[in-house]
Amino acid sequence: EIVPCDWSSDVCSSDLFSFTIELRDTGTYQFELPPEQIIPTCEENFPAAVYLAEWAASPVKIGFPNGLPTRLTPDTPETVPVRIVAVGATLDTASPRLFTRVGSSGTFTEYTLTSLGSGLYEATLPATTCGLTRYYYLSAATTTGIVNYSPADAPETTYNAAAEPIVTIYSANMDSNPGWTKSPNTAANQWAWGDPTGGGGEYGSNDPNVGFTGTNVVGYNLAGDYANNLAEMSITTPAIDCSGVTGPRLGFYRWLGVEQPLYDHAYLRISTNGLAWTNLWQNTATVDDGAWVYQEFDISAQANNQATVYLRWTMGTTDGGWRYCGWNVDDVQVWAADPSGCPELLGDLNCDGVVGFGDINPFVLALANPDTYTAMYPDCDINLADVNDDGTVSFGDINPFVALLTAQ
């Protein structure tokens, strides 16, 4: 395990990053692995060590405190918080840049990041047409002109996200009781829906005194900390129908306090039958949020096309020592991107999501030889050439099509 900086704020600057490389196993052998596991452990962790060495060799560090967007809301700009610091050098505070384009080819457009102070910046991804994918990367430099990129080998590698509408499969904003089920259903199980009181905090932060949105949350002991020597106490959603859904994701806001798992445990689990459960998340260290933190999980491996999907939050087991505030959960949503939800774009005959000069030849082909057009563009709808909306593709569509082009 390599933890260079988060062990003592008195020794290390809070501006630095820290890394942990987690080796085998999950607790059975602890620090004494059997010989047959030693070489596989080295093989699977060598790429992490190489990445860490390459990362440490770069003076400018670019990170994303809230992660990167997994999708974009169509036709809406997207802001991305960015953390940039220089190690062993001085950051040129005017240098951070965003480079972005729509599609996997073409010229990147450059934008200046907005400084928020204390090493934090904000990158704004421009509005992206529904159905298209935006590619982007970032850069920043030292005052001596050393430039670093994120991803490190940009622009050969970039980040990307598609602008797709979503279909909401399940939503619980906690304004009303979501009707989740306690397990076991006993007085000792202190999961409840209601108004948190801001209590607790024997160790770590208190509970919140309000939800992320609205007043109410689902939480463990809304009046304070979890108990000592606690067995597993859970609360479970009703069955969520993901039939016909591909790529579902779970998002929610969390306010959690729990001691490290040598002593206390918190889990998020998923099941398709309410009997066999898979861990989506569990604490691997002490967690002390002290604020609402957004969490998002890809649940497609378990939930794709499943008629019954259950989500479960579990508090415990705990030992007889330190107590923290435990789980608080708000604004739970299961959703999936809906690529078919993008409206069709008249005149987009090459199906690239925009009407441009690249559509001229396909438009002419649709007029002159519909069968050849259909063969060359099997995933496109020839009726997108019916720009005057009279129900046929004909020469009457030429002038309206030209008007679309000149309006771009």
Side-chain angles (χ1 to χ4, degrees):
E1 182 173 292
I2 301 175
V3 188
C5 195
D6 63 349
W7 56 275
S8 174
S9 60
D10 294 332
V11 175
C12 294
S13 166
S14 62
D15 285 338
L16 296 182
F17 291 72
S18 62
F19 276 85
T20 297
I21 299 177
E22 295 185 351
L23 308 179
R24 296 189 186 190
D25 61 351
T26 57
T28 302
Y29 301 104
Q30 298 185 21
F31 292 104
E32 297 183 6
L33 286 178
E36 65 270 15
Q37 290 198 29
I38 293 175
I39 290 179
T41 298
C42 294
E43 291 175 341
E44 66 192 15
N45 283 281
F46 181 70
V50 171
Y51 177 85
L52 177 58
E54 292 174 346
W55 187 91
S58 303
V60 178
K61 315 302 180 187
I62 302 175
F64 305 97
N66 296 344
L68 293 170
T70 57
R71 58 169 290 278
L72 303 175
T73 301
D75 307 310
T76 304
E78 179 91 15
T79 57
V80 180
V82 183
R83 184 184 182 201
I84 305 176
V85 298
V87 179
T90 302
L91 178 68
D92 178 353
T93 56
S95 70
R97 294 289 189 273
L98 165 71
F99 299 85
T100 182
R101 71 186 179 201
V102 173
S104 57
S105 62
T107 302
F108 286 94
T109 301
E110 179 179 334
Y111 297 89
T112 301
L113 271 60
T114 301
S115 176
L116 304 178
S118 301
L120 291 177
Y121 290 80
E122 187 174 77
T124 300
L125 299 173
T128 306
T129 301
C130 190
L132 300 188
T133 299
R134 180 165 293 281
Y135 294 78
Y136 61 98
Y137 65 95
L138 297 96
S139 73
T142 67
T143 53
T144 59
I146 299 174
V147 181
N148 289 124
Y149 296 91
S150 181
D153 59 346
E156 284 75 17
T157 301
T158 64
Y159 303 113
N160 67 83
E164 297 174 331
I166 65 170
V167 55
T168 300
I169 303 161
Y170 176 80
S171 180
N173 63 11
M174 307 307 173
D175 289 348
S176 59
N177 192 331
W180 296 1
T181 303
K182 295 197 306 182
S183 177
N185 189 15
T186 63
N189 186 343
Q190 292 183 285
W191 277 104
W193 168 81
D195 186 358
T197 64
E202 176 185 327
Y203 287 90
S205 301
N206 296 350
D207 276 327
N209 55 20
V210 69
F212 179 75
T213 58
T215 302
N216 298 313
V217 306
V218 165
Y220 193 84
N221 188 6
L222 298 177
D225 297 328
Y226 54 73
N228 285 330
N229 303 311
L230 191 68
E232 285 194 1
M233 299 291 176
S234 302
I235 194 163
T236 306
T237 66
I240 300 168
D241 186 359
C242 292
S243 300
V245 175
T246 300
R249 302 184 73 87
L250 164 67
F252 65 94
Y253 282 88
R254 175 191 90 181
W255 185 309
L256 172 63
V258 60
E259 194 180 5
Q260 64 159 300
L262 283 175
Y263 310 110
D264 299 340
H265 301 87
Y267 301 94
L268 169 62
R269 291 169 171 153
I270 189 170
S271 173
T272 56
N273 59 15
L275 299 173
W277 294 90
T278 299
N279 286 344
L280 288 175
W281 179 89
Q282 65 187 87
N283 64 305
T284 58
T286 296
V287 177
D288 182 21
D289 286 337
W292 287 106
V293 179
Y294 182 69
Q295 302 287 289
E296 187 173 307
F297 297 88
D298 180 354
I299 59 172
S300 58
Q302 299 83 16
N304 270 355
N305 200 33
Q306 295 295 318
T308 56
V309 176
Y310 301 90
L311 299 169
R312 171 175 285 183
W313 284 260
T314 298
M315 191 74 252
T317 58
T318 68
D319 71 351
W322 296 5
R323 300 185 304 145
Y324 285 70
C325 69
W327 277 111
N328 297 274
V329 178
D330 198 5
D331 292 341
V332 176
Q333 187 177 66
V334 177
W335 55 271
D338 182 15
S340 64
C342 295
E344 292 184 329
L345 187 61
L346 283 177
D348 179 21
L349 274 300
N350 65 358
C351 296
D352 65 353
V354 294
V355 177
F357 293 110
D359 294 299
I360 294 176
N361 287 340
F363 176 78
V364 172
L365 188 60
L367 289 179
N369 196 329
D371 291 339
T372 302
Y373 172 84
T374 301
M376 291 184 63
Y377 299 93
D379 297 324
C380 299
D381 183 358
I382 193 172
N383 291 312
L384 295 179
D386 180 19
V387 185
N388 68 358
D389 198 26
D390 67 353
T392 62
V393 176
S394 65
F395 292 110
D397 295 301
I398 294 175
N399 287 341
F401 176 71
V402 173
L404 282 179
L405 290 180
T406 57
Q408 300 307 307

